Amino acid sequence: LYQSAAASGPNGIISNRYYLPESAPTAPDIKAKSFVIADLLTGNILLEKDGGTPYPIASVSKLTTAGVALERHLATTSLLYPLLLESNNATADKIAASFGQGQFMQWMNDFAKQLGMVHTHYDDPSGISPKNVSSAEDLFTLARHIYMQKPELLSITLLPTKDKWRNNNGFVLKHTD
């Protein structure tokens, strides 16, 4: 890999971008319309395809719902388990309603802007709306924020079960990195 650019991202964090020389082995064949392969610790982006293009993000929206709920001191964190393990839409709506739906949606969009997620917009807390959009680069920014600032959310997403809630993520259930 050769470094092609270094840029200062949100909060002044330097992010490096790399390219493969022509003589390098072929990059993996990834069928996704858009992706970013990057290092959560350094922010270095190793491979990218249309990383700045926004697409509907569906249930990935629930990560921001959880983050905003924690920032606003959600009365009971037990709601995070059905939200993040089972991707429960009713729980996302219940969390937003507890703060006021309109206000909560404003907080979600403000949260995204504060992180520097310039291609992201939330229309509902669960991800049902096709108007919930983000780019691969923005989702990397969110993942990095969760990894570094909200590790308790990441820990929840890695649990196979908690009480009566069961994780529906195949990677977690198969114990695959």
Side-chain angles (χ1 to χ4, degrees):
L1 297 175
Y2 293 97
Q3 185 171 349
S4 65
S8 180
N11 305 322
I13 297 173
I14 301 291
S15 175
N16 296 304
R17 293 179 183 267
Y18 297 86
Y19 69 93
L20 295 170
E22 287 185 27
S23 61
T26 306
D29 184 25
I30 300 173
K31 303 285 187 226
K33 292 179 187 177
S34 173
F35 66 85
V36 169
I37 298 174
D39 186 313
L40 286 172
L41 289 176
T42 65
N44 292 339
I45 295 174
L46 304 175
L47 288 173
E48 178 178 4
K49 176 182 171 187
D50 293 330
T53 304
Y55 291 99
I57 55 172
S59 287
V60 175
S61 304
K62 291 178 180 87
L63 292 170
T64 298
T65 299
V68 169
L70 284 179
E71 280 188 356
R72 301 294 170 167
H73 307 291
L74 180 65
T76 174
T77 57
S78 64
L79 290 174
L80 297 177
Y81 296 103
L83 178 73
L84 297 175
L85 295 180
E86 294 188 344
S87 191
N88 189 292
N89 295 332
T91 301
D93 291 336
K94 183 176 183 176
I95 289 170
S98 73
F99 294 99
Q101 179 84 14
Q103 181 63 64
F104 195 81
M105 295 319 305
Q106 183 63 52
W107 290 338
M108 285 182 68
N109 285 298
D110 289 347
F111 176 83
K113 285 186 182 109
Q114 289 168 358
L115 291 183
M117 297 169 67
V118 296
H119 303 290
T120 300
H121 173 78
Y122 297 103
D123 195 55
D124 74 71
S126 65
I128 290 175
S129 172
K131 294 180 183 176
N132 282 25
V133 296
S134 191
S135 66
E137 289 173 354
D138 283 2
L139 293 177
F140 172 62
T141 297
L142 176 62
R144 192 161 186 227
H145 172 78
I146 291 169
Y147 182 76
M148 298 176 94
Q149 304 297 322
K150 304 272 186 219
E152 64 275 22
L153 293 181
L154 180 60
S155 295
I156 290 171
T157 67
L158 298 175
L159 293 172
T161 61
K162 173 68 174 174
D163 300 327
K164 63 180 180 178
W165 309 109
R166 179 173 157 78
N167 199 322
N168 62 12
N169 183 320
F171 293 110
V172 172
L173 296 176
K174 294 177 184 176
H175 305 289
T176 304
D177 290 342

